[in-house]
Amino acid sequence: MGGGLSGLRIGITRAAEQAESLSRLIEQRGGEPILLPALCLREPPSWAPFDDAAALLPDGFDGIVFTSANAVERTLDRLTILGVDAGDVLDGLLTVVVGTATSEMVASRGLVPDIVPEEFHSEGLLEALESRVASGLRGTRWFLPRALVARDVLPRGLEARRAQVIAAPVYEVGPPLDPEPILARLEQGLDVVTFASGSAVTNLQALVGDRWGELLDGVAVAALGPVTADACVDAGLRVSIQPPEARMEALVESTVAWAAEGAGAGRA
């Protein structure tokens, strides 16, 4: 694999346990990954809502919806703890995923997603469901394992179509446990900062506080997916890099393309 990112310091705001793949891709293209773990993934406050919903599988639902790779991993791990064979339970359900990374996580666990919308956000998922479920969404029941704090676009959209949604937290996204190393790395300067979720944007902004504009001045912002890009804009950032697919490989390739285009202009 060629270079393209040589000499660039590229910040990664994903949780520490999720940063390895992006770090490796950046290094392969000659860049220097700078770990800025703005997220800390934790267990949900209680597994009771999930366990109660899982007890209804599979007959109690028409489908299950995964909106993140984290949700897939935590859901399947919890089902294993409960002594449930995920393959058998989910085989009779429509398995719906948002985003390529989520689809790849489902596949890596030996499952086959039934619906992967072309648009990588909840609005696109609603359109895909309406086109796939021939009888309509009215009266259908959907299981939505997700983060403790998440957007309500999907459940509200389904409920507006007279479907029933049972959402249950399978993880919680919190701020980093030790912010000092993150601040120190930001002070050393970056060429690019990458965001893979809106939570990473809001957490990093809260951590930096009044120095948000100062520390990110002149830093190119790369956002994975339209929801993340919107969060960046809401935080006062200008998104310079947004890949056409919600995949880490696409994020790196788009960053390489940005670097090539900006090389003659000082990468402004």
Side-chain angles (χ1 to χ4, degrees):
M1 183 176 292
L5 298 178
S6 179
L8 295 183
R9 288 170 53 86
I10 301 176
I12 301 174
T13 58
R14 305 196 81 196
E17 62 266 34
Q18 297 181 312
E20 181 180 354
S21 62
L22 182 54
S23 293
R24 184 173 61 253
L25 290 168
I26 290 170
E27 288 175 339
Q28 288 173 349
R29 302 308 297 263
E32 180 184 358
I34 307 299
L35 299 184
L36 309 168
L39 305 175
C40 180
L41 301 182
R42 300 192 289 255
E43 296 277 299
S46 171
W47 280 104
F50 177 89
D51 293 352
D52 290 345
L56 302 175
L57 294 169
D59 297 335
F61 295 97
D62 295 283
I64 185 168
V65 181
F66 294 114
T67 57
S68 72
N70 288 327
V72 175
E73 189 170 30
R74 301 295 175 112
T75 294
L76 300 186
D77 287 349
R78 184 62 182 178
L79 289 176
T80 299
I81 291 173
L82 295 175
V84 175
D85 186 311
D88 288 344
V89 167
L90 302 183
D91 187 52
L93 301 176
L94 273 177
T95 301
V96 187
V97 304
V98 176
T100 306
T102 312
S103 179
E104 290 174 350
M105 177 61 74
V106 169
S108 74
R109 300 295 291 262
L111 303 174
V112 179
D114 296 296
I115 301 176
V116 183
E118 294 182 3
E119 299 292 333
F120 300 126
H121 47 65
S122 296
E123 295 86 345
L125 177 55
L126 287 168
E127 294 176 4
L129 283 175
E130 287 189 307
S131 64
R132 177 65 182 269
V133 182
S135 59
L137 295 175
R138 180 187 291 270
T140 56
R141 286 166 55 89
W142 300 88
F143 185 25
L144 178 57
R146 60 178 188 167
L148 179 65
V149 178
R151 298 171 74 226
D152 287 331
V153 173
L154 179 57
R156 286 182 178 177
L158 285 169
E159 289 167 355
R161 291 160 175 80
R162 301 296 187 267
Q164 183 178 356
V165 181
I166 295 182
V170 291
Y171 66 98
E172 181 179 7
V173 178
L177 299 177
D178 185 7
E180 291 305 319
I182 298 174
L183 286 171
R185 291 165 190 159
L186 281 171
E187 288 171 346
Q188 292 171 4
L190 298 173
D191 296 289
V192 181
V193 61
T194 63
F195 293 104
S197 69
S199 298
V201 179
T202 55
N203 280 9
L204 189 64
Q205 184 178 28
L207 184 155
V208 171
D210 293 340
R211 300 187 65 193
W212 180 245
E214 170 198 345
L215 292 176
L216 293 184
D217 182 39
V219 178
V221 174
L224 193 69
V227 174
T228 305
D230 288 345
C232 290
V233 172
D234 290 343
L237 302 175
R238 183 173 68 87
V239 177
S240 300
I241 303 162
Q242 187 174 351
E245 299 178 74
R247 298 168 55 247
M248 293 302 160
E249 293 84 354
L251 180 64
V252 171
E253 291 307 312
S254 293
T255 305
V256 169
W258 165 85
E261 292 173 359
R267 291 189 175 116

